[in-house]
Amino acid sequence: MGHSKIRNMEEFAALSGISRPTVSKYFNDPESVRSSTRAKIEASLKQYDYQPNVFAINQNRRTTKNIGIVVPNLADPFFSEIGRRVELACIAAGYSPILQSSHGSPEMERDNLNSLRSLKPAGVLLAPFGRMSDADAVKSFDDDFPLVLFDANMDGIGQAFVGTDNYQSVDLMVEYLCRSGEAPCFFEMKYPSNPNANKRRQAYIQSMERHGHAPRIFQADGEGWNFEEIGRTEGGRFLSAKEFSTNTILCSNDRLAIGMLSAAYSLGLRVGHGADCDLRIAGHDDHPFSQFTCPPLTTIAQDYETIANRAVSELFGMLENNDRLSDRTETTFYGRLIMRDSA
């Protein structure tokens, strides 16, 4: 016989012949009930096709199985990809991820953290804006909940940080560009949205000086997340004025480089590594589209999966020990050079 849809845990308990407190105990922690009872509950779940309201269960706990994941902008394929990997790692560990985008707005980042408070998350994984973030709001959240930062760091905030070693990755690219052709100019935004940009500029300066070259930095007007448009318009302006002092341009990120490729094409400049080419263009991040540009973009690959898994591991380590880390940890991973036709 068919059954009408079960509306709540009380109805499920009555139909399965198990007390409501025992059913609740099972949903809070299946291992906390006897194996025979657990088997009976799981058979009833299958028989009645019942799915409990996870959020309602969580709201009755002091701590929940919710994990907040906040990224600056899900419209950016870089953050959608790393956010997806963090989300999958949470699901694999039996947690309920809540993925939120701040849509390029530091104010919305603060609002996202405030909304997560009402859900009483077990912990939160945050890719912050950095200097643009409301540091007081992030610090206040850090005081109340386990917080792990990834991708971008904030000094003294969060119990752990996981990201890419920008000094290693940029040096790797500069070394390659110098030995394979002319030393690179560096193209970046004057007002970068992400603190990684500042680290990459400093890494470029240090690497150029170590290789015996004078740094040549060119900054694009504009701010925000329209990197491709800024790269196209400002890159085109520099190219038209012949301001770049070498034929090699290292862009602070792949999205700026994609815009620069568009500008070069519109000006009739051939990009690539060969005697018949006018320019070499390289980027950083291994943006999901970088292998499909024309020509395909030389870049630095960040290890998305390792960063995601380590960030989740740091957070779950705190949750399992029911405590904060005794010392804040910072873990960075090396980037990998991806040589394609653009440089």
Side-chain angles (χ1 to χ4, degrees):
M1 293 178 62
H3 297 277
S4 59
K5 183 174 178 61
I6 298 175
R7 294 172 297 178
N8 52 47
M9 201 178 298
E10 285 75 13
E11 291 184 4
F12 173 74
L15 281 171
S16 61
I18 300 168
S19 70
R20 170 65 172 77
T22 300
V23 170
S24 178
K25 186 179 180 183
Y26 168 84
F27 284 124
N28 279 316
D29 180 9
E31 299 298 323
S32 66
V33 301
R34 289 183 298 179
S35 59
S36 58
T37 303
R38 185 164 66 249
K40 185 176 181 181
I41 292 173
E42 290 169 355
S44 296
L45 286 170
K46 184 175 182 181
Q47 178 183 353
Y48 299 117
D49 190 28
Y50 173 60
Q51 292 292 330
N53 185 330
V54 175
F55 286 97
I57 294 171
N58 283 341
Q59 290 304 96
N60 292 323
R61 297 175 176 171
R62 286 188 61 196
T63 59
T64 73
K65 299 291 280 186
N66 299 330
I67 297 291
I69 306 166
V70 183
V71 298
N73 200 331
L74 274 175
D76 186 321
F78 171 81
F79 286 112
S80 62
E81 178 63 17
I82 197 166
R84 181 182 73 85
R85 291 178 183 268
V86 170
E87 188 177 31
L88 289 173
C90 290
I91 292 170
Y95 285 83
S96 300
I98 303 168
L99 181 59
Q100 295 184 315
S101 171
S102 298
H103 301 288
S105 166
E107 292 77 18
M108 187 167 286
E109 177 181 87
R110 181 190 60 226
D111 292 344
N112 281 336
L113 292 176
N114 286 336
S115 70
L116 283 170
R117 281 183 178 275
S118 64
L119 297 175
K120 296 188 289 190
V124 168
L125 295 149
L126 170 66
F129 287 98
R131 68 175 181 82
M132 295 174 62
S133 295
D134 184 335
D136 290 339
V138 180
K139 180 65 170 64
S140 175
F141 193 89
D142 181 31
D143 290 340
D144 297 334
F145 297 93
L147 179 67
V148 171
L149 305 185
F150 67 98
D151 181 61
N153 204 355
M154 296 178 70
D155 290 340
I157 296 179
Q159 285 102 74
F161 164 73
V162 183
T164 294
D165 184 339
N166 286 290
Y167 287 89
Q168 175 272 339
S169 61
V170 171
D171 183 60
L172 183 65
M173 178 63 80
V174 170
E175 190 276 332
Y176 163 71
L177 294 174
C178 286
R179 66 178 162 82
S180 60
E182 293 187 27
C185 301
F186 189 74
F187 179 65
E188 65 169 356
M189 290 169 57
K190 186 179 295 184
Y191 306 106
S193 302
N194 188 295
N196 285 323
N198 298 319
K199 289 186 173 63
R200 290 173 190 174
R201 183 196 319 112
Q202 292 302 316
Y204 165 78
I205 292 170
Q206 290 182 15
S207 184
M208 286 287 282
E209 291 175 344
R210 186 162 51 252
H211 287 87
H213 299 288
R216 305 175 182 92
I217 297 173
F218 296 82
Q219 295 184 317
D221 288 330
E223 56 185 316
W225 291 85
N226 295 321
F227 299 112
E228 293 87 357
E229 178 60 22
I230 293 170
R232 186 180 68 84
T233 56
E234 288 293 288
R237 180 171 66 84
F238 285 127
L239 288 171
S240 296
K242 302 185 186 306
E243 293 195 31
F244 292 114
S245 50
T246 77
N247 73 352
T248 304
I249 304 166
L250 171 57
C251 298
S252 180
N253 62 61
D254 282 356
R255 292 183 62 188
L256 282 174
I258 290 170
M260 179 72 76
L261 287 171
S262 176
Y265 175 80
S266 68
L267 292 168
L269 299 173
R270 185 177 178 86
V271 177
H273 193 288
D276 60 339
C277 294
D278 304 296
L279 281 175
R280 293 194 301 159
I281 296 175
H284 192 294
D285 293 337
D286 199 21
H287 184 290
F289 298 161
S290 63
Q291 61 183 310
F292 303 114
T293 57
C294 187
L297 184 65
T298 292
T299 186
I300 291 290
Q302 300 192 63
D303 193 337
Y304 297 112
E305 188 161 3
T306 300
I307 291 171
N309 288 338
R310 182 56 178 265
V312 170
S313 175
E314 291 280 9
L315 181 60
F316 291 168
M318 287 185 279
L319 301 183
E320 289 169 5
N321 295 326
N322 198 30
D323 198 4
R324 291 175 171 269
L325 299 173
S326 56
D327 294 302
R328 186 180 191 270
T329 64
E330 293 190 6
T331 306
T332 56
F333 296 96
Y334 283 175
R336 181 167 52 92
L337 178 65
I338 306 294
M339 291 181 287
R340 300 192 180 109
D341 294 344
S342 73

